[in-house]
Amino acid sequence: MRIFDMRVGEKYINKFGNIAEIVKYKSTTDCDILIDGYELKEHVQYWNIKKGMFKSSLLPSVCGVGYIGIGSYKSRDENNNKTNAYSEWIDMLKRCYDKKRWEKHPTYKGVEVCGEWLDFQQFACWYYENSVDNSIKYEIDKDILGGKLYSPKTCILIPHILNIVLSRNPKRINNTFPVGVEPTKGCINKYTARIVKDGEKIIQHGFTNSMDAFEWYKNKKEEHIREIAEKYKNQITERAYKAILSYEVQPFPYKEVI
């Protein structure tokens, strides 16, 4: 019997308890294995199999919770660069489960990813279905629809520029004044509102009430958001477009919504 035939059917176990069976042996550097009876991996080195140096795609590999899953979506392209979906998936998981990230962005603490999206294959499927223009790198946003959960029902995909316009400054978490508002320097009981639009600061002074200043900011901010939404209307889904148009700026966003 040839060695090619003899090694077919050999089984090895790794440190995680996964069992790999050799189902095709072409050479010591090219074997196909079936992990746990259902996951096929091709072009694996024979000696790596013997040493247990193989891993199931269902084994969590990102932040202790995320796993690649079984499917056609790849984490890297032909140039070995991370795909857009994989980059966004990794970043989403780190925001929620990397404690070091919480030190810089404490607002992420308590935010979770739905069980479905712990599987990269499921997330990638949603990501590409909601990517209207393949030339654009989309970013995931859950704040527009509100809540502390990343899931298909609570998230939309938007271009980077839209995410920047919609972003809220985490430094304002403990601020006693509404977002976009600050005390006017050198004046007692006077407030200033400011907004950045297309790189230019627009400032309004003279408010005697912080909430009046916020109303000015809110109107200007939502007007700017609608302008950007119209500009990118053909590059986002109808669901994302409607969600952005109905978005309301909150005076103290971090008290209830992250």
Side-chain angles (χ1 to χ4, degrees), residues 36-87:
D36 295 335
Y38 53 80
E39 180 184 359
L40 180 67
K41 283 186 179 289
E42 300 176 315
H43 314 303
V44 185
Q45 292 190 22
Y46 177 72
W47 300 113
N48 286 341
I49 303 169
K50 286 198 71 171
K51 293 175 184 177
M53 296 173 64
F54 56 87
K55 188 162 53 175
S56 169
S57 296
L58 299 181
L59 188 73
S61 57
V62 181
C63 298
V65 294
Y67 55 95
I68 295 298
I70 301 172
S72 60
Y73 295 104
K74 305 296 183 183
S75 60
R76 294 182 179 273
D77 60 21
E78 59 275 7
N79 298 315
N80 203 35
N81 296 316
K82 291 179 181 177
T83 61
N84 291 342
Y86 186 69
S87 294

Side-chain angles (χ1 to χ4, degrees), residues 135-195:
S135 66
I136 295 177
K137 184 182 183 301
Y138 289 91
E139 297 177 354
I140 189 169
D141 186 282
K142 64 170 180 50
D143 295 324
I144 295 174
L145 297 176
K148 294 186 177 183
L149 178 69
Y150 283 100
S151 74
K153 292 183 178 180
T154 58
C155 293
I156 57 175
L157 281 185
I158 55 179
H160 176 69
I161 182 63
L162 260 174
N163 213 7
I164 292 297
V165 172
L166 289 160
S167 65
R168 297 175 291 205
N169 190 348
K171 293 180 180 179
R172 302 192 61 92
I173 298 172
N174 298 318
N175 205 324
T176 56
F177 300 101
V179 63
V181 178
E182 60 187 32
T184 304
K185 293 181 180 179
C187 298
I188 300 175
N189 296 327
K190 294 287 185 180
Y191 301 91
T192 296
R194 66 179 67 217
I195 180 176

Side-chain angles (χ1 to χ4, degrees), residues 56-69 89-99 102 111-121:
S56 169
S57 296
L58 299 181
L59 188 73
S61 57
V62 181
C63 298
V65 294
Y67 55 95
I68 295 298
W89 181 70
I90 288 282
D91 196 49
M92 174 184 69
L93 290 174
K94 287 184 176 180
R95 286 196 291 267
C96 297
Y97 302 109
D98 186 345
K99 293 183 179 179
W102 297 350
V111 179
E112 296 182 339
V113 177
C114 72
E116 180 183 350
W117 277 4
L118 296 179
D119 182 344
F120 171 65
Q121 298 299 317

